[in-house]
Amino acid sequence: MKGVDLVRLSREMSGYAVDVRRYLHVHAEPTSREFETVRFIRCELEKIGLKYVNIPDGGVLAEIDGDGSSHSSILLRADCDALEMTEAPDNAAGKKICISSNPNAAHMCGHDSHTAILLGAARILAKMPPNSIRGKVYLLFERGEEGGNCIYYVMKYIQLHKLRIDSCFALHVEPDLPVGTFWIREGPANAGNVNFEIRLYGKGGHGSRPDLANNPLDCFVAVLNQLKDVRYKYIAPNDLITYNIGSVHCGTRRNIVPDMLEFSGTARFYNVEAGGIFKKKLRDIVDKCADFYDCVVEYRVFSGPGLSVVNNREAARIAADAVTEMYGNGCLKDLPISLGSESFAMLSNYYPSVMIRLGVRNEERGMTAGLHSSHFDLDEDAIPYGISAHLAYVMKYMSVADRAIPFEGFAGDVDAVLKLTNRPVPKRYDTM
Amino acid sequence: MKGVDLVRLSREMSGYAVDVRRYLHVHAEPTSREFETVRFIRCELEKIGLKYVNIPDGGVLAEIDGDGSSHSSILLRADCDALEMTEAPDNAAGKKICISSNPNAAHMCGHDSHTAILLGAARILAKMPPNSIRGKVYLLFERGEEGGNCIYYVMKYIQLHKLRIDSCFALHVEPDLPVGTFWIREGPANAGNVNFEIRLYGKGGHGSRPDLANNPLDCFVAVLNQLKDVRYKYIAPNDLITYNIGSVHCGTRRNIVPDMLEFSGTARFYNVEAGGIFKKKLRDIVDKCADFYDCVVEYRVFSGPGLSVVNNREAARIAADAVTEMYGNGCLKDLPISLGSESFAMLSNYYPSVMIRLGVRNEERGMTAGLHSSHFDLDEDAIPYGISAHLAYVMKYMSVADRAIPFEGFAGDVDAVLKLTNRPVPKRYDTM
């Protein structure tokens, strides 16, 4: 099937995908608790007539068998969770087309469109004439991408059933790219992270006698002073790394010495070794300062260094060829690498994978706000571009029978990944 | 009237004063909003048959005329407000006798007993035989002592009506002193303060790009680092001063750069000049750090240097003589000077005054917790000691006809005090 056909089919599927996107957008559900969203996806898959399994606390994994002329299998992934936040009703130009009806959840990271695009692609793939698809295509509707780590339960399933996966593909909407363009890069595409939430316990008292108490704020200031040295003193200058202290909370009244301080933050990097050094130094600093200031430390969260998304060179080239054949070389745009984190890192560490970015910016229509902003809005005209990119990756990959990308994936099972990245087994929400 | 009579009369009045104390304790009302408490006090004064004025948002000022053989007039002051906190039902030994029925207010600073003691003293003074009291006695039931600054409205009234006041007397319960003892000191008895609540505004953003944002936490850490120098670098070592950062609040999520940080604190000192230096340096540091870190500063509270309570030498001697004549020299105990603040500072800066401390500790009964602790509890056996101290101060002071203590009080009116101490006109709660 030629590129022109994929573009046409994708455009014809737009109406359906836009409806799906709006439905999901209005009925946003927070990370790991996408119960109605999952029901909706299953219902759509049943209408299409696709086989699927509902992986508890993981997501929905559907399957399209090819004609068997190739043993290759590709996994296309869309996430489906929303953020725990309240959506603003307007974008930079005026009212949005639709907004979340749930004041506690909003699709401000565009996962509604990811799922809509993949369902649109699924409908097209399912109706393709015999012999169009040589190998197998998995469609993963992943839950809990925003920190829920639900991909753990998906990987558990994949490893338990020894599913063969030769390559993974995903896209993410990108408000810094105009509609009709893509960003595709070899190598790191998203950052790994170290996340921390730490409590320092001192001793409370009356604000007029700090000498009789022990304000944990003194310890905290010492930690932050030391932390400023880590980047230049211990990490190679060519290793990208940054960090943020996102919150500090301590005390209630000016005349009371607080007895506890809680702070949280994140570090981002591409080289997991650099992340490891940061984490070790942070721990050393906190422990030593706590010792010095006679505070007790509680590491409530201390995860990582987590994996970064690494786009496989050949997978990225296949993806780039797939979209440029449809839209010309001009459709590829450059962007600085993101330092956001992505659960797709898991798949990209096991299989040769690529995650591309899909332009959804439209300045005239006011669709310019960044991801995670309450004003985020996307131009639905981007949806057919997204559908066609999925289709074209499948076609391009399978144009070579039994294509196998040389790749050395992570050797251990998914529990080994948890251990490596110091993350707990993700919380379960499904009734077992 | 002799000391032995005052002791006996005070003991006989104990039952009444204990009942009052328990009633007020159970019906605690927060600072500046002591509406029912005021109604109760007025009702008691009417039962006694005393003249009084209800000063809106200030308190109740009652008056007992003497026999006119002296022009002297003494003001006895009790505060009547509770703290905005929840009382714990137990002290160190077990259940308390009574606890606040208001989950949002509790008499954890003992003002219930101050008012009960003064009402007890009022009943005795009102029934004294003719010629017992030479001059005039004012009884002030002051509202909003705990930061409400209601004394402002009382002083407004006193200055408007040009009331003559020759000396002021007050007591405060002291959980570090055993029942039956007093602490009386010449000179500073409570600290002056500088209070601050400051916001630093930076620029928010995604936690993976602190370089594109401006975390106000960096500015805050710089402020705290500089602040540590002030005490040794700018303030004389013999000037007592201390400070506390009581709260810091900033940010919500680890992967978002916060755009605002709010911190609050207090400094305590006896020498108002030292307090002034601290305040000026704090302001310099915050402004310069904000400039350096490109933050915007909002001084939401920046009051002081406030006045400290200074016990007049002669007034303190009269008070000490008054209690030792009743209870012997052994009743006076030493304690470190308090660094708490006290609204009595206002009166002590206008008139030769003394504030004494009344022992309420009873280890056997578990009454050991400090003021402002939710476990604070006082031994009601201290109440007759308190009543008699008020009576004895009046008698002792007026034993000399037209006694006048040489004193250079604050020259300006109470609005000049507000200006000097950088405090706003206190919030009003009474319906005007």
Side-chain angles (χ1 to χ4, degrees):
Chain A
M1 189 165 286
K2 289 182 187 166
V4 286
D5 297 320
L6 299 181
V7 171
R8 180 180 49 78
L9 287 169
S10 299
R11 288 202 177 131
E12 288 168 5
M13 192 53 68
S14 262
Y16 165 77
V18 165
D19 287 347
V20 168
R21 183 254 159 181
R22 291 185 189 176
Y23 176 84
L24 293 175
H25 192 87
V26 171
H27 301 89
E29 292 179 298
T31 286
S32 306
R33 282 154 286 168
E34 315 84 346
F35 309 118
E36 292 306 319
T37 303
V38 164
R39 241 168 251 149
F40 176 87
I41 291 166
R42 293 172 66 171
C43 181
E44 291 305 300
L45 292 172
E46 280 161 21
K47 282 189 214 162
I48 303 170
L50 289 185
K51 291 182 288 186
Y52 70 83
V53 288
N54 178 30
I55 303 167
D57 292 296
V60 179
L61 185 65
E63 190 178 333
I64 299 173
D65 290 323
D67 63 10
S69 65
S70 165
H71 293 296
S72 297
S73 65
I74 291 178
L75 184 146
L76 305 177
R77 175 273 213 168
D79 37 18
C80 66
D81 55 326
L83 290 158
E84 284 188 67
M85 59 187 291
T86 305
E87 180 166 11
D90 49 343
N91 63 31
K95 292 279 168 221
K96 295 177 181 176
I97 286 173
C98 62
I99 68 159
S100 175
S101 63
N102 181 348
N104 301 316
H107 273 294
M108 297 298 95
C109 202
H111 299 186
D112 51 345
S113 63
H114 300 168
T115 290
I117 286 168
L118 188 54
L119 280 172
R123 273 171 73 122
I124 294 170
L125 288 169
K127 286 180 187 165
M128 283 216 172
N131 307 331
S132 300
I133 311 174
R134 307 180 72 145
K136 183 174 286 196
V137 180
Y138 289 108
L139 310 165
L140 170 60
F141 299 89
E142 178 185 328
R143 293 168 60 186
E145 194 283 323
E146 299 283 357
N149 205 17
C150 294
I151 189 68
Y152 168 83
Y153 294 110
V154 176
M155 282 308 303
K156 272 279 201 198
Y157 180 89
I158 289 172
Q159 291 175 347
L160 180 68
H161 295 86
K162 297 189 168 57
L163 303 190
R164 171 178 173 165
I165 294 172
D166 292 282
S167 180
C168 300
F169 174 93
L171 63 71
H172 203 296
V173 295
E174 176 53 66
D176 283 345
L177 283 183
V179 170
T181 66
F182 301 89
W183 176 89
I184 303 176
R185 185 189 193 274
E186 301 174 16
N190 277 80
N193 60 24
V194 165
N195 291 328
F196 47 97
E197 287 178 27
I198 300 173
R199 284 189 175 179
L200 301 172
Y201 293 90
K203 185 181 161 207
H206 194 278
S208 66
R209 294 304 300 273
D211 54 310
L212 299 179
N214 180 14
N215 195 332
L217 182 58
D218 295 310
C219 181
F220 174 69
V221 169
V223 167
L224 259 61
N225 283 330
Q226 294 298 323
L227 203 57
K228 290 178 197 290
D229 287 352
V230 172
R231 202 267 163 268
Y232 94 94
K233 201 169 169 66
Y234 302 109
I235 295 171
N238 52 332
D239 271 340
L240 181 154
I241 189 161
T242 191
Y243 69 94
N244 175 56
I245 306 295
S247 69
V248 188
H249 293 286
C250 167
T252 54
R253 288 175 48 176
R254 63 183 174 227
N255 63 346
I256 295 177
V257 179
D259 59 1
M260 193 271 286
L261 179 147
E262 184 168 38
F263 68 103
S264 73
T266 184
R268 301 298 170 93
F269 43 83
Y270 294 126
N271 180 350
V272 75
E273 280 174 35
I277 294 170
F278 179 90
K279 189 182 180 197
K280 182 180 179 312
K281 287 294 169 189
L282 172 60
R283 176 127 201 170
D284 279 358
I285 288 168
V286 170
D287 286 347
K288 284 174 181 167
C289 288
D291 182 41
F292 193 84
Y293 283 92
D294 204 15
C295 287
V296 172
V297 186
E298 183 188 352
Y299 292 92
R300 292 168 69 84
V301 172
F302 202 55
S303 71
L307 306 171
S308 59
V309 173
V310 179
N311 282 341
N312 175 269
R313 172 172 294 196
E314 194 169 336
R317 282 187 188 165
I318 294 168
D321 287 350
V323 299
T324 52
E325 277 178 21
M326 294 187 290
Y327 301 110
N329 286 331
C331 79
L332 290 183
K333 296 286 178 195
D334 204 16
L335 265 187
I337 314 174
S338 165
L339 279 144
S341 290
E342 239 302 334
S343 68
F344 192 68
M346 179 77 86
L347 294 170
S348 87
N349 275 269
Y350 274 110
Y351 313 109
S353 302
V354 60
M355 177 168 224
I356 74 171
R357 296 193 162 252
L358 171 70
V360 294
R361 184 184 190 84
N362 187 323
E363 298 199 8
E364 234 171 81
R365 296 181 185 165
M367 290 135 173
T368 55
L371 298 171
H372 292 212
S373 159
S374 62
H375 297 281
F376 171 73
D377 197 12
L378 59 84
D379 189 348
E380 291 168 338
D381 287 355
I383 284 177
Y385 290 92
I387 296 172
S388 63
H390 282 86
L391 301 176
Y393 186 78
V394 171
M395 296 303 157
K396 194 83 196 163
Y397 187 95
M398 294 195 177
S399 65
V400 176
D402 295 327
R403 185 200 293 262
I405 299 175
F407 186 75
E408 198 175 334
F410 185 72
D413 66 7
V414 69
D415 286 300
V417 175
L418 277 199
K419 199 175 166 194
L420 180 79
T421 57
N422 289 286
R423 299 187 74 166
V425 173
K427 189 169 174 187
R428 309 202 77 146
Y429 291 90
D430 280 3
T431 315
M432 298 302 290
Chain B
M1 189 166 286
K2 289 182 187 166
V4 286
D5 298 320
L6 299 181
V7 170
R8 180 181 49 78
L9 287 169
S10 299
R11 288 202 177 132
E12 289 168 5
M13 192 53 69
S14 262
Y16 165 76
V18 165
D19 286 347
V20 167
R21 183 254 159 180
R22 291 185 189 176
Y23 176 85
L24 294 176
H25 192 87
V26 171
H27 300 90
E29 292 178 298
T31 286
S32 306
R33 282 154 287 167
E34 315 83 347
F35 309 118
E36 292 306 319
T37 303
V38 164
R39 240 168 252 149
F40 176 87
I41 292 166
R42 293 172 67 172
C43 181
E44 291 305 300
L45 292 172
E46 280 161 22
K47 283 189 213 161
I48 303 170
L50 290 185
K51 290 182 290 185
Y52 70 83
V53 288
N54 177 30
I55 302 167
D57 292 296
V60 179
L61 185 65
E63 190 178 333
I64 299 172
D65 290 322
D67 63 10
S69 65
S70 165
H71 293 296
S72 296
S73 65
I74 290 178
L75 184 146
L76 306 176
R77 176 274 214 169
D79 38 18
C80 66
D81 55 326
L83 291 158
E84 285 188 65
M85 60 188 290
T86 305
E87 181 167 11
D90 49 342
N91 63 30
K95 292 280 167 218
K96 295 177 180 176
I97 286 172
C98 62
I99 69 159
S100 175
S101 62
N102 181 348
N104 302 315
H107 273 295
M108 297 297 95
C109 203
H111 300 186
D112 51 344
S113 63
H114 300 169
T115 289
I117 286 168
L118 188 54
L119 280 172
R123 272 171 72 122
I124 295 170
L125 288 169
K127 286 180 188 165
M128 283 218 171
N131 308 330
S132 301
I133 311 175
R134 307 180 72 145
K136 182 174 286 196
V137 180
Y138 289 108
L139 311 165
L140 171 60
F141 299 89
E142 178 185 327
R143 293 168 60 185
E145 194 282 323
E146 299 283 357
N149 205 17
C150 294
I151 189 68
Y152 168 83
Y153 294 110
V154 176
M155 282 308 302
K156 271 280 202 199
Y157 180 89
I158 289 173
Q159 291 175 347
L160 180 69
H161 295 87
K162 297 189 168 57
L163 303 190
R164 172 179 171 165
I165 293 171
D166 293 282
S167 180
C168 300
F169 174 93
L171 63 71
H172 203 296
V173 295
E174 176 53 65
D176 283 345
L177 284 183
V179 170
T181 66
F182 301 89
W183 175 89
I184 303 176
R185 185 189 194 274
E186 302 174 15
N190 276 80
N193 60 23
V194 165
N195 291 328
F196 47 96
E197 287 178 27
I198 301 174
R199 284 189 176 179
L200 302 172
Y201 293 91
K203 186 182 161 206
H206 194 278
S208 65
R209 295 304 300 272
D211 54 309
L212 299 179
N214 179 15
N215 195 332
L217 182 59
D218 295 311
C219 181
F220 174 69
V221 169
V223 167
L224 258 61
N225 282 331
Q226 293 297 322
L227 203 58
K228 290 178 196 290
D229 286 352
V230 171
R231 203 268 164 267
Y232 94 95
K233 201 169 169 67
Y234 302 109
I235 295 171
N238 52 332
D239 271 339
L240 180 154
I241 189 162
T242 191
Y243 69 93
N244 174 55
I245 306 294
S247 69
V248 188
H249 292 287
C250 168
T252 54
R253 289 176 47 176
R254 63 184 174 226
N255 63 346
I256 295 176
V257 178
D259 59 0
M260 193 271 285
L261 179 147
E262 185 168 39
F263 68 103
S264 73
T266 184
R268 301 298 170 92
F269 43 83
Y270 295 126
N271 180 349
V272 76
E273 280 174 36
I277 294 170
F278 179 89
K279 188 182 180 196
K280 183 181 178 309
K281 287 294 169 190
L282 172 60
R283 175 128 202 169
D284 280 359
I285 288 167
V286 170
D287 286 347
K288 284 174 181 166
C289 287
D291 182 41
F292 193 83
Y293 282 92
D294 204 16
C295 288
V296 172
V297 186
E298 183 188 352
Y299 292 92
R300 292 168 69 84
V301 172
F302 201 56
S303 71
L307 306 171
S308 59
V309 173
V310 179
N311 281 342
N312 175 269
R313 171 172 294 196
E314 194 169 335
R317 283 187 187 164
I318 294 167
D321 287 349
V323 300
T324 52
E325 277 178 20
M326 294 187 290
Y327 301 110
N329 286 331
C331 79
L332 291 183
K333 297 287 178 196
D334 204 15
L335 265 187
I337 315 174
S338 164
L339 279 144
S341 290
E342 238 303 334
S343 69
F344 192 68
M346 178 77 86
L347 294 169
S348 87
N349 275 270
Y350 274 111
Y351 313 109
S353 302
V354 60
M355 177 168 224
I356 74 171
R357 296 192 162 252
L358 171 70
V360 293
R361 184 185 190 84
N362 187 324
E363 298 198 8
E364 234 170 82
R365 296 181 185 165
M367 291 137 173
T368 54
L371 298 171
H372 292 211
S373 159
S374 61
H375 297 281
F376 171 73
D377 196 11
L378 59 84
D379 189 347
E380 291 168 338
D381 287 355
I383 285 177
Y385 290 92
I387 296 172
S388 63
H390 282 86
L391 302 175
Y393 186 78
V394 171
M395 296 303 157
K396 194 82 195 163
Y397 187 95
M398 293 194 177
S399 65
V400 177
D402 295 328
R403 184 200 293 261
I405 299 175
F407 186 75
E408 198 176 333
F410 185 72
D413 65 8
V414 68
D415 286 300
V417 175
L418 277 200
K419 199 175 165 194
L420 180 78
T421 56
N422 290 286
R423 299 187 74 166
V425 173
K427 189 168 174 187
R428 310 201 77 146
Y429 291 90
D430 280 4
T431 315
M432 299 303 290

